[in-house]
Amino acid sequence: MDKIISITQLDSEVSPRKQSAIFRSWDDEIIYFIMLDRFHDGLNRTSIDSRTGFGDEEKLKSFCGGNLKGVLLKLDYIKALGCTAIWLSPFLENDDKYHGYAIRNFLKVDPRFGSLEDLKLLVDECHKKDLRVIMDVVVNHSGDIWSYQEPSATYDKGKVYTFGAWKSREWPVPIELRNPGLYNRRGSIINFDEYPETLEGDIFELKSFRNDHSPEARKVLELLASIYTYWIKEIGVDGFRIDAAKHFGIPALKQFVESIRDYTEKAGHQDFFLFAEVASGDDLAEEFLNEITGLNAVIDFPLHFILPEMIRGNAYPDQFIKLMNHRKKLSEGKSKVTFLDNHDQLGQQVKKRFAADLSEKQFEFGIGFLFCFPGIPCLYYGTEQGLDGRGKSDNAVRESMFALDNQFEDLFLQDNFYFKKIQEFSNIRKQFPALSKGGFKLLEVLELTKGVKYGNKKSILAFSRTYESELMLIICNFSSNKKIKGLVRPEKERYVGAFEKIKSTSSNSNNNFLEVKTEENDSTIAVELEPFEILILKKINGK
């Protein structure tokens, strides 16, 4: 199979593999993102207790040695954490980039990660263990496979630069991509939020494909559709995460998604999941979801930009409330993939892991919020070990989970605080369908405590999740140092009755259950929350 170099070879070479027979709503999934080069190298190592990942920022600029066999070795670990799907960083052959997003051969597994047979075995074993597999697909660009004739090429008002030369006789593959006319050739992006620059320019040295209305752009889309339907057939993945969708643009992505949907529906893969990285505000994310019918979800960057900062005390619940009030109702069947931490720390001068500089109480609070909030939660590898990497570049938060200077140590303990807290909240989410599929409503809160840290900034945030007859209340105190009393004011007719306490993160809470009753003539619920306490309540039916 490594000898495939042309699109015309694909249909004759590939027999479609059967996808998983997992009958579960994607809303019920908990995704675990794996950066292949940094996760595990497949050696039989002993886990040590450390929040510091392996490799300094300089070493982490290069390949570390993680591979597909290493993921296979840790599937039971991922399942024990409570995750139900894995998202693999790009595994196609790259030039010199460990992260996988600089592809030179779109039809071959990068030998540094393993073989095609390793990949097939991994997907098969995931399906046996009831784990779905998501492939990270790159459609916006190739790797740095050719050079400009000009010595310096940066975006300049749409100027088209002169194609210089291919950097190798071997790449790109498929050979149909060996056509300068299929690339934008506008130089590297300087302003990532300026249009049309962000659509036309190159992301650093990666070479952007044509994505306009030209015949060349249509040819690119045909090639990309053939490439990625080939991988669905070849390995039986269950979904795609589409990289850099903002830069590819809505019209081009719409055509790509339609082509993938056309194949998956004909092949009987109606539940194939497609979600896109739209690294922008809510308006653009909503536009992608509304304009692209076959797109299931986008990654929730607006939540990511606010929630960790709220937990660190740098943002306030009223900013979150403003975001929620701004959000339009999503189309039926649409969702968002939510996260606290990931491999791209956009717009941050200092890159840092979610757990960096956080107390255990703050960490637990953040995980609890993520697992109760609408969307499909996604965990970044190493978060469950409390990795605390920080530095000037994204490399600092892409630590290795296995030792780079010996063959004996790794970081996969299951009895530490961080692993156990994620495990606990994942079990709660699975137990109550309202937390994964339920409707969302912000609730009015009247705070009764004066002199809180943030002055007139409210600290308590409350919302409900409702699915069929199941009603959950989630009440959170974002104050770092004040116990706060408050009255939560839900809708009278729906909320009157008794509530069972499912979980409280308060260190002083010893009871496993708590009933909160509301009077017939007053639907307020009186609460008193410790700093960084999250309270999860379930309405007792019939009361």
Side-chain angles (χ1 to χ4, degrees), residues 386-401:
L387 292 192
D388 58 0
R390 59 182 297 143
K392 295 179 180 179
S393 71
D394 286 332
N395 298 314
V397 296
R398 299 173 180 177
E399 310 99 310
S400 174
M401 295 278 281

Side-chain angles (χ1 to χ4, degrees), residues 12 18 20 36-37 73 86 98 125 156 205 246 273 275 307 328 397 458 504 535:
S12 62
K18 191 174 181 180
S20 67
L36 273 171
D37 181 59
L73 188 68
I86 63 170
Y98 68 84
E125 289 303 310
D156 182 13
E205 74 281 0
K246 180 179 80 170
F273 190 65
F275 70 106
L307 183 56
K328 305 172 183 69
V397 296
K458 288 188 176 181
S504 170
L535 182 63

Side-chain angles (χ1 to χ4, degrees), residues 207-438:
K207 299 303 189 288
S208 173
F209 292 127
R210 290 286 290 271
N211 55 353
D212 51 21
H213 300 289
S214 66
E216 290 84 0
R218 289 195 294 272
K219 180 62 176 177
V220 167
L221 288 167
E222 291 173 5
L223 293 171
L224 290 170
S226 296
I227 287 166
Y228 287 113
T229 53
Y230 158 72
W231 283 107
I232 300 173
K233 297 174 190 176
E234 181 70 2
I235 58 175
V237 291
D238 306 291
F240 286 165
R241 179 266 192 185
I242 304 169
D243 178 61
K246 180 179 80 170
H247 303 287
F248 199 51
I250 290 175
L253 187 61
K254 184 176 182 180
Q255 293 181 56
F256 175 76
V257 168
E258 286 175 353
S259 296
I260 299 300
R261 283 282 173 231
D262 183 61
Y263 168 75
T264 56
E265 289 176 8
K266 287 178 180 177
H269 305 323
Q270 282 81 6
D271 62 347
F272 194 85
F273 190 65
L274 290 165
F275 70 106
E277 178 197 34
V278 183
S280 186
D282 251 20
D283 288 338
L284 186 60
E286 294 283 353
E287 192 175 347
F288 270 82
L289 288 172
N290 291 331
E291 293 292 326
I292 305 176
T293 304
L295 191 64
N296 297 107
V298 295
I299 300 176
D300 198 346
F301 278 93
L303 177 69
H304 168 66
F305 293 148
I306 291 179
L307 183 56
E309 292 308 303
M310 288 168 60
I311 296 168
R312 286 191 166 90
N314 300 323
Y316 309 104
D318 60 341
Q319 293 171 268
F320 174 85
I321 292 170
K322 183 178 179 181
L323 172 67
M324 293 299 103
N325 289 336
H326 171 264
R327 288 193 161 175
K328 305 172 183 69
K329 185 177 180 181
L330 293 179
S331 302
E332 185 177 354
K334 302 288 185 173
S335 188
K336 293 193 176 180
V337 175
T338 56
F339 66 103
L340 293 165
D341 205 358
N342 75 344
H343 61 301
D344 287 328
Q345 303 269 319
L346 301 173
Q348 296 184 17
Q349 290 184 342
V350 177
K351 317 293 184 176
K352 56 181 178 291
R353 283 270 189 166
F354 171 66
D357 306 323
L358 289 188
S359 66
E360 290 185 348
K361 183 182 290 188
Q362 287 172 296
F363 180 89
E364 180 180 11
F365 183 83
I367 294 297
F369 192 100
L370 182 73
F371 279 73
C372 291
F373 188 73
I376 303 169
C378 180
L379 294 170
Y380 183 40
Y381 83 96
T383 299
E384 74 282 359
Q385 297 297 324
L387 292 192
D388 58 0
R390 59 182 297 143
K392 295 179 180 179
S393 71
D394 286 332
N395 298 314
V397 296
R398 299 173 180 177
E399 310 99 310
S400 174
M401 295 278 281
F402 55 95
L404 304 180
D405 57 359
N406 68 63
Q407 298 182 354
F408 311 108
E409 298 174 335
D410 60 24
L411 301 174
F412 290 89
L413 291 178
Q414 297 186 32
D415 60 354
N416 63 35
F417 171 85
Y418 300 95
F419 190 99
K420 287 182 176 179
K421 288 304 175 183
I422 293 174
Q423 189 179 58
E424 180 182 4
F425 279 109
S426 68
N427 288 334
I428 291 173
R429 182 180 176 86
K430 292 173 185 176
Q431 184 180 354
F432 301 102
L435 297 180
S436 57
K437 294 188 280 284

Side-chain angles (χ1 to χ4, degrees), residues 104-118:
R104 65 188 184 190
N105 187 337
F106 285 83
L107 303 179
K108 180 183 177 182
V109 175
D110 194 308
R112 288 166 292 204
F113 298 143
S115 67
L116 178 60
E117 293 308 312
D118 291 333

Side-chain angles (χ1 to χ4, degrees), residues 16-86:
R17 286 170 67 81
K18 191 174 181 180
Q19 261 192 315
S20 67
I22 298 173
F23 301 103
R24 183 171 60 228
S25 166
W26 277 94
D27 287 328
D28 293 329
E29 302 292 355
I30 300 171
I31 300 172
Y32 187 83
F33 172 57
I34 295 171
M35 196 157 228
L36 273 171
D37 181 59
R38 304 300 157 91
F39 187 63
H40 205 271
D41 60 356
L43 297 180
N44 187 16
R45 296 168 177 263
T46 300
S47 293
I48 63 172
D49 187 5
S50 174
R51 293 185 57 197
T52 302
F54 297 103
D56 59 29
E57 198 164 348
E58 186 63 30
K59 173 59 180 174
L60 294 172
K61 293 179 180 178
S62 306
F63 276 90
C64 291
N67 54 40
L68 294 163
K69 289 181 179 179
V71 180
L72 181 65
L73 188 68
K74 297 300 179 181
L75 293 184
D76 287 338
Y77 167 90
I78 295 169
K79 276 194 66 77
L81 185 61
C83 294
T84 59
I86 63 170

